[in-house]
Amino acid sequence: MRPVAPEKEGPRVNEDIRIREVQLIDQDGQNLGVVPTRDAILRAQEAGLDLVEIAPNSVPPVCKILDYGRFKYQNQKKANEARKKQHIVEIKEIKLRPGIDTHDYDVKMKSIHRFFQEGDKVKITLRFRGREMAHQELGYKLLNKVKEELAPVAKVEAEPSLEGRQMIMVLAPR
């Protein structure tokens, strides 16, 4: 049994292209039509460049005459740029209590606004202790107040729900 060559990353180049005919585009971007693969490889070698398969799934596959090393470098640069621009959305948590005082509440709201400006989601956790469990409506009132105040800058992703001794609500920036 013949050993199977490992599949290469990226597009097929020169002799790796094993199709009879290809749609050829030269180094200037001119479409030369359907050409036998042998002829296309010879044209690429005459130009001192490589034959690179650009669109392998089309019929016939589209190949372009270009410098493969430069092509790989350009793609790598594009991928790095895309990676730099992407932002990972984090979930920040704010913990409240049902009997929170006005100043403490204002400080928490400032933090929440800062998180939204950074593009992060906010999970608001309202913790009940002892007899506070008997007055869950106070928790709902507080979370609804937060929801109304943040309506212009945030949308509710998860409505307030009680999980054990905690009431949780998740907000995302608009």
Side-chain angles (χ1 to χ4, degrees), residues 123-128 136 139-140 143-144 147 156-170:
K123 175 182 177 182
I124 300 172
T125 304
L126 186 69
R127 175 166 277 142
F128 294 101
Q136 292 174 11
Y140 277 112
L143 288 181
N144 283 331
K147 192 187 340 181
V156 177
E157 206 166 82
E159 289 290 335
S161 64
L162 193 68
E163 294 177 13
R165 290 191 161 271
Q166 295 181 353
M167 198 174 283
I168 296 169
M169 177 170 72
V170 180

Side-chain angles (χ1 to χ4, degrees), residues 24-164:
L24 184 64
I25 298 170
D26 69 3
Q27 59 270 33
D28 304 321
Q30 296 292 322
N31 189 345
L32 303 177
V34 179
V35 177
T37 307
R38 274 276 118 231
D39 295 352
I41 291 172
L42 289 173
R43 283 188 189 181
Q45 286 171 346
E46 284 169 12
L49 300 169
D50 302 300
L51 183 69
V52 181
E53 194 173 43
I54 303 295
N57 297 334
S58 61
V59 180
V62 179
C63 293
K64 193 171 185 179
I65 296 174
L66 47 81
D67 181 359
Y68 183 62
R70 187 170 171 210
F71 174 73
K72 264 175 60 172
Y73 175 72
Q74 298 277 338
N75 282 352
Q76 194 174 7
K77 259 177 53 176
K78 269 187 218 165
N80 284 343
E81 279 298 311
R83 202 174 304 123
K84 269 185 208 167
K85 289 179 184 164
Q86 82 182 173
H87 173 74
I88 293 119
V89 176
E90 291 180 39
I91 296 184
K92 305 283 187 170
E93 186 174 17
I94 294 284
K95 292 183 178 177
L96 302 174
R97 295 281 315 282
I100 190 168
D101 203 29
T102 52
H103 180 261
D104 297 333
Y105 176 80
D106 293 340
V107 170
K108 299 280 187 183
M109 291 304 281
K110 263 188 198 164
S111 297
I112 292 172
H113 278 285
R114 190 180 71 242
F115 294 149
F116 286 142
Q117 284 170 350
E118 292 168 5
D120 296 323
K121 293 181 181 181
V122 177
K123 175 182 177 182
I124 300 172
T125 304
L126 186 69
R127 175 166 277 142
F128 294 101
R129 290 167 72 186
R131 281 182 242 147
E132 292 172 348
M133 281 302 287
H135 301 288
Q136 292 174 11
E137 72 280 352
L138 295 175
Y140 277 112
K141 276 185 192 168
L142 181 62
L143 288 181
N144 283 331
K145 180 180 169 188
V146 170
K147 192 187 340 181
E148 287 166 16
E149 267 187 51
L150 295 172
V153 292
K155 60 181 180 271
V156 177
E157 206 166 82
E159 289 290 335
S161 64
L162 193 68
E163 294 177 13

